[in-house]
Protein backbone atom coordinates (compact mmCIF):
# COMPACT_ATOMS: atom_id res chain seq x y z
CA UNK A 1 0.00 0.00 0.00
CA UNK A 2 2.78 2.41 0.92
CA UNK A 3 4.57 1.54 -2.30
CA UNK A 4 1.53 2.59 -4.38
CA UNK A 5 1.33 5.90 -2.52
CA UNK A 6 5.04 6.62 -3.07
CA UNK A 7 4.82 5.70 -6.75
CA UNK A 8 1.73 7.89 -7.19
CA UNK A 9 3.43 10.81 -5.44
CA UNK A 10 6.58 10.35 -7.52
CA UNK A 11 4.56 10.32 -10.75
CA UNK A 12 2.65 13.44 -9.71
CA UNK A 13 5.88 15.26 -8.81
CA UNK A 14 7.46 14.33 -12.14
CA UNK A 15 4.35 15.43 -14.07
CA UNK A 16 4.11 18.72 -12.17
CA UNK A 17 7.84 19.36 -12.66
CA UNK A 18 7.57 18.68 -16.38
CA UNK A 19 4.54 20.98 -16.72
CA UNK A 20 6.27 23.73 -14.72
CA UNK A 21 9.44 23.44 -16.81
CA UNK A 22 7.51 23.39 -20.09
CA UNK A 23 5.58 26.61 -19.30
CA UNK A 24 8.55 28.50 -17.88
CA UNK A 25 11.16 27.69 -20.49
CA UNK A 26 12.34 30.50 -22.72
CA UNK A 27 11.58 30.53 -26.45
CA UNK A 28 12.46 32.98 -29.19
CA UNK A 29 10.20 36.02 -29.37
CA UNK A 30 8.62 36.37 -32.80
CA UNK A 31 6.14 39.04 -33.90
CA UNK A 32 2.50 38.04 -34.23
CA UNK A 33 0.21 39.31 -36.96
CA UNK A 34 -3.55 39.04 -37.37
CA UNK A 35 -5.01 36.75 -39.97
CA UNK A 36 -6.95 38.55 -42.67
CA UNK A 37 -9.72 35.99 -42.80
CA UNK A 38 -13.40 36.48 -41.95
CA UNK A 39 -13.97 35.65 -38.30
CA UNK A 40 -16.03 32.51 -37.60
CA UNK A 41 -18.90 32.46 -35.15
CA UNK A 42 -17.05 30.06 -32.83
CA UNK A 43 -14.10 32.05 -31.58
CA UNK A 44 -10.75 30.58 -30.61
CA UNK A 45 -7.94 32.95 -29.77
CA UNK A 46 -5.32 31.38 -32.05
CA UNK A 47 -7.67 31.44 -35.05
CA UNK A 48 -7.19 35.21 -35.39
CA UNK A 49 -3.41 35.41 -35.10
CA UNK A 50 -0.33 33.84 -36.60
CA UNK A 51 3.38 34.02 -35.91
CA UNK A 52 5.08 36.15 -38.54
CA UNK A 53 7.76 34.79 -40.82
CA UNK A 54 11.21 36.39 -40.80
CA UNK A 55 10.48 38.46 -43.90
CA UNK A 56 7.15 39.71 -42.45
CA UNK A 57 8.64 41.25 -39.31
CA UNK A 58 7.42 44.85 -38.84
CA UNK A 59 10.20 47.41 -39.34
CA UNK A 60 10.51 48.68 -35.75
CA UNK A 61 9.76 45.44 -33.93
CA UNK A 62 13.26 44.50 -32.77
CA UNK A 63 14.20 48.15 -32.22
CA UNK A 64 11.37 48.84 -29.74
CA UNK A 65 10.43 45.44 -28.30
CA UNK A 66 12.74 45.69 -25.27
CA UNK A 67 11.06 48.93 -24.20
CA UNK A 68 7.60 47.36 -24.61
CA UNK A 69 8.56 44.23 -22.64
CA UNK A 70 10.05 46.31 -19.82
CA UNK A 71 7.01 48.57 -19.80
CA UNK A 72 4.72 45.53 -19.56
CA UNK A 73 6.91 43.96 -16.82
CA UNK A 74 7.70 40.79 -18.72
CA UNK A 75 10.85 38.78 -18.21
CA UNK A 76 13.07 38.31 -21.21
CA UNK A 77 16.58 37.14 -21.99
CA UNK A 78 18.87 38.31 -24.78
CA UNK A 79 21.32 35.71 -26.13
CA UNK A 80 23.43 36.40 -29.20
CA UNK A 81 21.13 39.30 -30.14
CA UNK A 82 17.99 37.13 -30.02
CA UNK A 83 15.25 37.95 -27.51
CA UNK A 84 13.71 35.04 -25.60
CA UNK A 85 10.53 35.15 -23.49
CA UNK A 86 8.74 32.50 -21.47
CA UNK A 87 6.80 29.92 -23.45
CA UNK A 88 3.56 30.66 -21.61
CA UNK A 89 3.76 34.29 -22.78
CA UNK A 90 4.67 33.39 -26.36
CA UNK A 91 1.71 31.03 -26.39
CA UNK A 92 -0.60 34.02 -25.70
CA UNK A 93 -0.76 35.24 -29.29
CA UNK A 94 -3.14 38.11 -28.51
CA UNK A 95 -0.71 39.60 -26.00
CA UNK A 96 2.26 39.27 -28.38
CA UNK A 97 0.12 40.82 -31.14
CA UNK A 98 -0.55 43.79 -28.86
CA UNK A 99 3.19 44.07 -28.21
CA UNK A 100 3.84 43.94 -31.97
CA UNK A 101 1.37 46.78 -32.54
CA UNK A 102 2.96 48.86 -29.77
CA UNK A 103 6.43 48.52 -31.28
CA UNK A 104 5.21 50.25 -34.45
CA UNK A 105 3.00 52.87 -32.79
CA UNK A 106 5.18 55.99 -32.62
CA UNK A 107 2.57 57.95 -30.63
CA UNK A 108 2.26 55.27 -27.94
CA UNK A 109 6.05 54.98 -27.63
CA UNK A 110 6.45 58.75 -27.40
CA UNK A 111 3.77 59.09 -24.69
CA UNK A 112 5.08 56.19 -22.60
CA UNK A 113 8.70 57.38 -22.81
CA UNK A 114 7.55 60.84 -21.72
CA UNK A 115 5.57 59.31 -18.83
CA UNK A 116 8.62 57.34 -17.74
CA UNK A 117 10.87 60.39 -17.82
CA UNK A 118 8.32 62.49 -15.89
CA UNK A 119 7.99 59.69 -13.33
CA UNK A 120 11.76 59.57 -12.88
CA UNK A 121 11.89 63.34 -12.37
CA UNK A 122 9.01 63.21 -9.87
CA UNK A 123 10.56 60.25 -8.05
CA UNK A 124 13.93 62.01 -7.84
CA UNK A 125 12.32 65.16 -6.41
CA UNK A 126 10.33 63.08 -3.93
CA UNK A 127 13.41 61.18 -2.74
CA UNK A 128 15.47 64.36 -2.47
CA UNK A 129 12.81 66.15 -0.41
CA UNK A 130 12.29 63.21 1.97
CA UNK A 131 15.92 62.26 2.51
CA UNK A 132 17.13 65.79 3.24
CA UNK A 133 15.28 65.92 6.56
Amino acid sequence: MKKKIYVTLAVLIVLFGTYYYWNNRYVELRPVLSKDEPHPIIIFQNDFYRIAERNETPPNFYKNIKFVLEREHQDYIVKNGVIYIKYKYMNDLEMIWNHTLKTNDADWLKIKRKEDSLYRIYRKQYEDSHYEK
Side-chain angles (χ1 to χ4, degrees):
M1 182 67 178
K2 285 185 179 182
K3 188 175 182 180
K4 285 184 179 182
I5 292 172
Y6 289 136
V7 169
T8 304
L9 285 175
V11 168
L12 287 175
I13 289 171
V14 168
L15 288 175
F16 177 76
T18 304
Y19 173 78
Y20 183 79
Y21 166 76
W22 188 258
N23 277 328
N24 289 305
R25 67 190 167 99
Y26 283 86
V27 294
E28 181 181 353
L29 174 63
R30 304 275 304 276
V32 171
L33 304 174
S34 66
K35 290 183 179 178
D36 295 326
E37 299 175 1
H39 301 304
I41 294 174
I42 299 174
I43 298 173
F44 295 104
Q45 176 188 13
N46 293 347
D47 289 344
F48 296 129
Y49 308 103
R50 63 182 175 81
I51 296 174
E53 299 296 327
R54 293 273 182 211
N55 59 353
E56 297 177 312
T57 302
N60 295 325
F61 182 77
Y62 291 109
K63 178 181 173 187
N64 298 324
I65 192 63
K66 288 181 186 177
F67 176 77
V68 173
L69 290 173
E70 289 170 3
R71 182 80 182 156
E72 300 295 329
H73 305 289
Q74 291 196 344
D75 296 333
Y76 66 94
I77 297 173
V78 179
K79 289 184 183 176
N80 300 328
V82 179
I83 300 171
Y84 294 90
I85 62 171
K86 289 189 176 184
Y87 173 78
K88 63 184 174 184
Y89 297 136
M90 190 61 203
N91 203 26
D92 186 357
L93 296 181
E94 184 176 1
M95 180 185 69
I96 302 299
W97 179 67
N98 286 332
H99 291 349
T100 304
L101 292 178
K102 289 176 183 177
T103 59
N104 288 314
D105 188 354
D107 293 333
W108 184 87
L109 289 166
K110 184 178 176 183
I111 290 169
K112 296 306 176 184
R113 285 187 173 128
K114 186 175 180 181
E115 284 177 5
D116 287 353
S117 62
L118 290 174
Y119 174 75
R120 284 188 205 111
I121 292 169
Y122 171 76
R123 186 75 181 157
K124 174 88 170 113
Q125 291 173 350
Y126 176 80
E127 288 174 355
D128 291 344
S129 67
H130 279 76
Y131 292 123
E132 289 177 2
K133 296 179 182 179

